[in-house]
Amino acid sequence: MTDQDAYQWALDNAERLLGQPLVLPLAEGEPSVGNDFRRLATVQTFGAAWPREGLDLRSRCLVSVAIAAALGTHEPLRGQLRIALTSGVTREEIVELFIHLAAYAGAARAFDSYQVVAAVFAERP
């Protein structure tokens, strides 16, 4: 498989998981080498990590949401929530995850990240 084939396969997998195409345009003023970062990160994430067989999809979704929330990375959390909901994780399970997260990562971090949850829930009535 060529590098371009691997990238396209990763993009296709990302679209399947997200339920929409993964679009990562360069920001204004960003050098073109930023596309290399996006390509490498996409191949690593959606081409290598997500397709592994060691965890089922539901477990992988819940772990990914918990990691993004605990780190306080709002944009990645938004994407992980979309993947989880597209993959059949329920809203109730996500709320339970945040109740558990508050105990282990702290209430302030959980509450801050939960604002992203509320926004993603609002996207999907």
Side-chain angles (χ1 to χ4, degrees):
M1 181 180 298
T2 68
D3 285 348
Q4 186 57 38
D5 291 339
Y7 182 47
Q8 188 57 56
W9 189 82
L11 285 172
D12 292 344
N13 195 37
E15 183 172 352
R16 182 182 61 78
L17 289 166
L18 287 163
Q20 62 189 40
L22 178 65
V23 180
L24 301 169
L26 290 175
E28 185 175 332
E30 186 178 2
S32 63
V33 72
N35 283 321
D36 292 339
F37 167 73
R38 285 163 176 71
R39 181 181 49 76
L40 292 168
T42 300
V43 169
Q44 174 62 33
T45 303
F46 293 106
W50 273 96
R52 292 182 54 83
E53 295 180 10
L55 291 175
D56 62 36
L57 181 60
R58 177 180 221 72
S59 298
R60 202 171 293 279
C61 288
L62 291 170
V63 167
S64 298
V65 168
I67 291 168
L71 290 173
T73 55
H74 289 181
E75 282 309 306
L77 174 58
R78 192 177 317 281
Q80 296 307 322
L81 288 163
R82 289 175 181 143
I83 290 171
L85 292 167
T86 299
S87 299
V89 174
T90 67
R91 292 171 185 228
E92 291 78 13
E93 289 170 317
I94 290 169
V95 173
E96 286 293 334
L97 181 151
F98 275 80
I99 291 168
H100 200 68
L101 185 79
Y104 284 93
R109 176 57 53 116
F111 188 79
D112 180 56
S113 293
Y114 193 79
Q115 304 314 300
V116 177
V117 174
V120 172
F121 284 175
E123 292 174 4
R124 300 166 175 251

